[in-house]
Amino acid sequence: MKILIVDDSKPILSMVSSMVTELGHEPLVAEHGQAAFDVIAKQPDVDLVLLDWNMPVMNGLEFLEKNQAESIFTIPIFMMTTENSPEKIQKALSSGAVDYIMKPFTVDILENKIELLEDLLGD
Ligand SMILES: [Mg+2]
């Protein structure tokens, strides 16, 4: 899978990229939502987006809402978040995220989530 990681923290981009590589997938990175749209415009074959919540320029929720309002792409999106309020998680899910991962997470948790998605997609 080609997996786009969207986060404003360079250490997190680096750490999650390593996990994605370790799991045999190809990581791409973007530092905020607008940069993520730019990456997807150039590489529409991205299979999964891992999306941070709090970012400058365009945050995760703004990214979800723009994508939903303008029907830009249908790539599955997982929120990566430290937000654990049910209202916020529900908001992300109703705005187009298919799942969420609580930060910090391990490579095993990421692997598990990706496998569930692959089962869902029938791979
Ligand atoms: Mg952030």
Side-chain angles (χ1 to χ4, degrees):
M1 277 192 174
K2 197 177 270 195
I3 300 180
L4 173 60
I5 306 149
V6 190
D7 202 299
D8 59 321
S9 158
K10 283 194 175 21
I12 288 180
L13 287 179
S14 166
M15 186 186 67
V16 180
S17 290
S18 296
M19 290 182 182
V20 164
T21 303
E22 186 181 333
L23 295 174
H25 302 291
E26 179 186 345
L28 301 171
V29 298
E31 292 184 358
H32 52 69
Q34 187 53 57
F37 278 125
D38 294 344
V39 170
I40 291 167
K42 284 185 203 129
Q43 304 199 53
D45 60 339
V46 168
D47 299 294
L48 172 64
V49 177
L50 302 178
L51 182 67
D52 183 27
W53 191 293
N54 297 304
M55 297 179 285
V57 185
M58 181 185 291
N59 71 31
L61 189 59
E62 290 166 344
F63 178 85
L64 289 173
E65 288 175 340
K66 180 179 166 77
N67 188 49
Q68 193 172 58
E70 300 178 21
S71 302
I72 298 171
F73 65 79
T74 57
I75 302 161
I77 304 168
F78 292 171
M79 285 304 277
M80 301 184 292
T81 183
T82 52
E83 302 282 358
N84 54 12
S85 88
E87 294 79 16
K88 285 213 162 185
I89 288 167
Q90 191 50 51
K91 180 74 184 156
L93 295 176
S94 68
S95 300
V98 297
D99 205 345
Y100 64 94
I101 307 180
M102 298 303 295
K103 285 184 186 170
F105 56 85
T106 62
V107 67
D108 293 336
I109 289 171
L110 182 61
E111 180 176 36
N112 200 346
K113 293 278 189 185
I114 291 172
E115 282 176 357
L116 286 171
L117 178 68
E118 285 175 329
D119 288 350
L120 204 70
L121 298 177
D123 278 332

